[in-house]
Amino acid sequence: ASAVLAAPALAQSNPKVNWRLASSFPKSLDTIYGGAETLSKYLSEATDGNFQIQVFAAGEIVPGLQAADAAAAGTVEACHTVGYYYWGKDPVWALGSAVPFALNARGMNAWQYHGGGIELYNEFLDTQGLVGLPAGNTGVQMGGWFRKEIKTVADLQGLKMRIGGFAGKVVERLGVVPQQIAGGDIYPALEKGTIDAAEWTTPYDDEKLGFYKVAPYYYYPGFWEGGPTVHAMFNKAAFESLPKNYQSLLRIACQATDANMLQKYDWLNPPAIKRLVAAGAKLAPFSPEILSACYDKADEVYAEMEDDNPTFKKIWDSIKAFRGEYYLNAQIAEYNYDTFMMIQQRNGKL
Amino acid sequence: ASAVLAAPALAQSNPKVNWRLASSFPKSLDTIYGGAETLSKYLSEATDGNFQIQVFAAGEIVPGLQAADAAAAGTVEACHTVGYYYWGKDPVWALGSAVPFALNARGMNAWQYHGGGIELYNEFLDTQGLVGLPAGNTGVQMGGWFRKEIKTVADLQGLKMRIGGFAGKVVERLGVVPQQIAGGDIYPALEKGTIDAAEWTTPYDDEKLGFYKVAPYYYYPGFWEGGPTVHAMFNKAAFESLPKNYQSLLRIACQATDANMLQKYDWLNPPAIKRLVAAGAKLAPFSPEILSACYDKADEVYAEMEDDNPTFKKIWDSIKAFRGEYYLNAQIAEYNYDTFMMIQQRNGKL
């Protein structure tokens, strides 16, 4: 920073920076892929076009699930991705994004921005050669599409489900056979019955893939993604080479982008769910039996990870300490307001 | 903008701008007053200190409830305020902030940022000589502090309550006698019994004024503030005189500030509610009878305003169209996830 201050301030303020960003998402998912475009637009507009980030969709530079690796290696300066994609390398990766039965979007944001979450996660990312900032959230995701009704834990036995990483590890303990299948291959697998179920994201995104035609039972909630954070991650050396005002602008623009993605989902999901139901999707909640069994199995997995991994324990302890308080307070004004408004909706009064 | 482009781009990017902002809030409310300080910090940091906004607390330049007037008149370039403070001039002022039984914070944000809400509200603010951007949200507020239990609509008869503007107009129709009392005068009025009840804001803010000592019944939810937006408003000529990149930066910094305030409340309210209950606050929900009666009276008020005021009708119609869809979708993944987590909390499993 002192070098910047020593030079003429006006001439130095907005130097030319051209970065490349690898997204983990295809362009067709305009909400989540669009987060990186929002960030890029914000940075460009605030600097008269001097700070440019060019966004590349999944597969254009590297495959979507290698976006963070590419940023860490310096192949690109930045990526837009979800931490849990990399949980196989170390489960700590998942804690900055979403883990089963953690916080919803508002709780996750409170913990991140004011509870030290961003700092804790970056202590870990630093060891990976990265700086990460929250830059998107989808809200609670749906539980996915099922060819048949699932009412009890017994119904999960042998169920072949496309479900990823951490969540797969939980439901596996209840007899589910987790499958790793890329987005584009899910529909034919469901249609042929190669798999029995698949989780994807939210109504607006799910609609695009047309799953309701071949697996009409649409369960909720996706208890493994209560409020998943999408991250912008930056090559550490690239981030540190930025002038201080660009580092600050990145933080501000990421916080705005983070909010903007959730705002966009919250605007687009309501009409999407209506269209899906009109097209034949059969909405159904996971039964309390299934949710409780999954919760208990998740706690088993957490206990094992805490034993194995001190960094995991440190961050998960921090989330857990807030989770109890958050869900106590949320029962009061927020829950009662929403419940009353939902009753009005059901009574046709809204 | 063309003038900016014609000059050397680097030298022009971050010109010196020094603005004054009048806050409607006292410094003691660090969450809501702090929003303007966050905005000021973001702008300064992103421009190497070239875009400065100096924040003045309520009363330092003008009284808190005249902040928007001061910005419109050019006494200051900016203010940080809540639209409903000015609803007596025209009820349209309230629609950008909060009106009874409207959207919660996420719904309000979805409508504002992606449903045309910011643009609709600014069509109105433009006629007042202002440009307004959301720059804070408190989440659902509490219903306030009552000296006695209130269980039925009959209990509202003759109740002297400190409650403002629009909400006062609603509860007045059920026999409440609304009182306008400044923040600092509420405690002695409750203590002496000059008033029977008072609404303020959220647990974290309410705790500071110590109402639990003199009016221990702490009702929820504050159905007149489901997700109130705090605005940054700018003198129109001052805003238009900014270079394009500063206008963009203001939008980005306000969106980040907007999110940040809610994040801060969500972090601070949970421990505050625990402290309040430990200190003797008696938490209680408004009864369904009271909420339903208030809802119906609010609808009467809305119908009258729609008849009287075409601009009110235009904006309220836009909110209402989304409100029904929003609260339908919110019943699905979000509500079921939160409900399950709250049951876990009550069962001591979080």
Side-chain angles (χ1 to χ4, degrees):
Chain A
S2 58
V4 173
L5 290 174
L10 286 175
Q12 283 274 0
S13 278
N14 291 340
K16 288 274 180 199
V17 169
N18 285 291
W19 277 8
R20 300 194 306 167
L21 179 148
S23 171
S24 285
F25 316 106
K27 285 187 182 161
S28 56
L29 297 179
D30 60 303
T31 41
I32 196 162
Y33 172 83
E37 292 197 319
T38 300
L39 177 61
S40 169
K41 176 169 168 281
Y42 284 177
L43 295 170
S44 174
E45 286 181 354
T47 61
D48 272 334
N50 286 306
F51 191 168
Q52 292 286 346
I53 291 188
Q54 193 180 355
V55 179
F56 293 88
E60 289 187 350
I61 297 178
V62 288
L65 301 184
Q66 293 169 28
D69 307 85
T75 311
V76 291
E77 290 84 1
C79 68
H80 195 232
T81 190
V82 184
Y84 57 56
Y85 289 156
Y86 314 95
W87 88 291
K89 297 200 270 187
D90 188 325
V92 174
W93 276 98
L95 289 171
S97 52
V99 290
F101 301 107
L103 294 154
N104 66 11
R106 277 180 57 176
M108 187 67 183
N109 286 338
W111 174 73
Q112 290 187 114
Y113 288 96
H114 296 276
I118 290 176
E119 293 76 14
L120 275 173
Y121 193 51
N122 272 287
E123 285 177 18
F124 169 74
L125 290 180
D126 185 73
T127 68
Q128 312 292 312
L130 292 164
V131 172
L133 295 171
N137 200 301
T138 65
V140 178
Q141 296 195 0
M142 294 294 283
W145 300 86
F146 293 69
R147 285 164 54 97
K148 288 185 293 195
E149 282 188 273
I150 299 294
K151 293 183 172 170
T152 65
V153 171
D155 293 337
L156 298 176
Q157 282 301 316
L159 189 89
K160 282 175 282 181
M161 181 170 182
R162 186 266 182 194
I163 184 168
F166 208 134
K169 201 172 167 83
V170 171
V171 295
E172 195 168 32
R173 296 184 182 208
L174 294 168
V176 171
V177 185
Q179 314 279 315
Q180 304 283 355
I181 301 178
D185 300 330
I186 301 172
Y187 188 97
L190 277 174
E191 188 174 31
K192 287 179 206 149
T194 315
I195 59 173
D196 306 301
E199 68 94 26
W200 190 236
T201 63
T202 73
Y204 178 73
D205 292 341
D206 284 7
E207 185 186 22
K208 295 181 182 174
L209 294 188
F211 299 136
Y212 60 89
K213 294 177 207 158
V214 288
Y217 297 96
Y218 194 23
Y219 279 91
Y220 57 87
F223 53 80
W224 49 93
E225 308 207 55
T229 292
V230 181
H231 268 86
M233 294 182 189
F234 309 104
N235 176 274
K236 190 181 161 188
F239 184 87
E240 288 173 354
S241 75
L242 290 175
K244 272 271 184 277
N245 67 314
Y246 274 17
Q247 289 183 11
S248 296
L249 179 61
L250 257 188
R251 289 183 191 281
I252 299 159
C254 282
Q255 190 174 21
T257 298
D258 188 15
N260 195 69
M261 188 190 291
L262 185 62
Q263 289 153 359
K264 192 169 173 183
Y265 271 113
D266 283 341
W267 177 252
L268 294 170
N269 279 327
I273 201 87
K274 286 170 73 176
R275 289 192 301 267
L276 281 167
V277 170
K282 298 177 201 302
L283 278 170
F286 284 127
S287 65
E289 178 191 329
I290 288 176
L291 286 178
S292 294
C294 290
Y295 185 89
D296 292 342
K297 291 298 175 193
D299 262 2
E300 284 179 18
V301 176
Y302 284 128
E304 291 165 15
M305 288 183 180
E306 286 174 334
D307 283 348
D308 287 351
N309 189 324
T311 305
F312 186 93
K313 179 169 166 44
K314 180 181 172 185
I315 303 181
W316 180 231
D317 278 352
S318 172
I319 295 174
K320 274 198 298 187
F322 181 55
R323 185 180 61 163
E325 288 198 340
Y326 177 79
Y327 274 113
L328 170 60
N329 181 63
Q331 288 169 47
I332 304 168
E334 294 286 344
Y335 193 75
N336 278 269
Y337 186 79
D338 285 345
T339 300
F340 179 76
M341 294 304 287
M342 290 169 188
I343 292 168
Q344 301 303 99
Q345 193 279 329
R346 292 207 170 190
N347 290 340
K349 297 192 76 167
L350 293 193
Chain B
S2 56
V4 173
L5 291 174
L10 286 175
Q12 284 274 357
S13 278
N14 290 340
K16 289 274 181 198
V17 169
N18 285 292
W19 277 7
R20 299 194 307 166
L21 178 148
S23 171
S24 286
F25 316 106
K27 284 186 183 162
S28 57
L29 297 179
D30 60 302
T31 40
I32 195 163
Y33 172 81
E37 292 197 319
T38 300
L39 177 61
S40 169
K41 177 171 167 282
Y42 284 176
L43 295 171
S44 174
E45 286 181 356
T47 61
D48 272 335
N50 286 307
F51 191 169
Q52 292 286 346
I53 292 188
Q54 192 179 355
V55 179
F56 293 89
E60 289 186 350
I61 297 177
V62 288
L65 300 184
Q66 292 169 29
D69 306 87
T75 310
V76 291
E77 290 84 2
C79 67
H80 194 232
T81 191
V82 184
Y84 57 57
Y85 288 157
Y86 313 97
W87 87 291
K89 296 201 271 187
D90 188 325
V92 174
W93 277 96
L95 290 171
S97 51
V99 289
F101 300 107
L103 293 154
N104 66 11
R106 277 179 57 176
M108 188 66 183
N109 286 339
W111 174 73
Q112 289 186 115
Y113 288 95
H114 296 276
I118 289 175
E119 293 75 14
L120 275 173
Y121 193 51
N122 273 288
E123 284 176 19
F124 168 74
L125 290 180
D126 185 73
T127 68
Q128 311 291 312
L130 292 164
V131 172
L133 295 171
N137 200 301
T138 66
V140 177
Q141 296 196 0
M142 295 293 284
W145 300 86
F146 292 70
R147 286 164 54 96
K148 288 184 292 194
E149 282 189 271
I150 299 293
K151 292 181 171 170
T152 64
V153 171
D155 293 336
L156 298 176
Q157 282 300 317
L159 189 90
K160 282 176 282 180
M161 180 170 182
R162 187 267 183 194
I163 185 168
F166 207 135
K169 201 172 168 84
V170 171
V171 295
E172 196 168 31
R173 296 184 182 208
L174 294 168
V176 172
V177 186
Q179 313 279 314
Q180 303 283 351
I181 301 178
D185 301 330
I186 301 173
Y187 187 95
L190 277 174
E191 189 174 29
K192 288 179 206 151
T194 314
I195 58 173
D196 306 300
E199 70 92 26
W200 188 237
T201 63
T202 73
Y204 178 75
D205 292 341
D206 285 7
E207 186 186 21
K208 295 182 183 175
L209 295 188
F211 300 136
Y212 60 89
K213 295 176 206 160
V214 289
Y217 297 96
Y218 195 22
Y219 279 91
Y220 56 85
F223 53 81
W224 49 93
E225 309 207 55
T229 290
V230 181
H231 268 86
M233 294 183 189
F234 309 103
N235 175 274
K236 190 181 161 188
F239 185 86
E240 288 174 354
S241 75
L242 291 175
K244 273 270 185 276
N245 67 315
Y246 274 17
Q247 290 183 10
S248 296
L249 179 60
L250 258 188
R251 288 182 192 281
I252 299 159
C254 281
Q255 189 174 23
T257 299
D258 189 16
N260 195 68
M261 187 189 292
L262 185 62
Q263 289 154 359
K264 192 168 173 183
Y265 271 112
D266 283 341
W267 177 252
L268 293 171
N269 279 326
I273 200 89
K274 287 170 73 175
R275 290 192 300 266
L276 282 167
V277 170
K282 298 177 199 304
L283 278 170
F286 284 127
S287 64
E289 177 191 329
I290 287 176
L291 287 178
S292 293
C294 291
Y295 185 89
D296 292 342
K297 291 298 176 192
D299 263 1
E300 285 179 19
V301 176
Y302 284 128
E304 291 166 15
M305 289 182 178
E306 287 174 333
D307 283 349
D308 287 351
N309 189 325
T311 304
F312 187 93
K313 179 170 167 41
K314 179 181 173 185
I315 302 180
W316 180 232
D317 278 351
S318 172
I319 295 174
K320 275 197 298 186
F322 181 54
R323 185 180 62 164
E325 288 198 340
Y326 177 79
Y327 275 111
L328 170 60
N329 181 61
Q331 287 169 47
I332 304 167
E334 295 285 345
Y335 193 75
N336 279 270
Y337 186 80
D338 285 346
T339 300
F340 179 76
M341 294 303 287
M342 289 171 189
I343 292 168
Q344 301 303 98
Q345 193 279 330
R346 292 208 169 190
N347 291 339
K349 298 192 76 166
L350 292 193

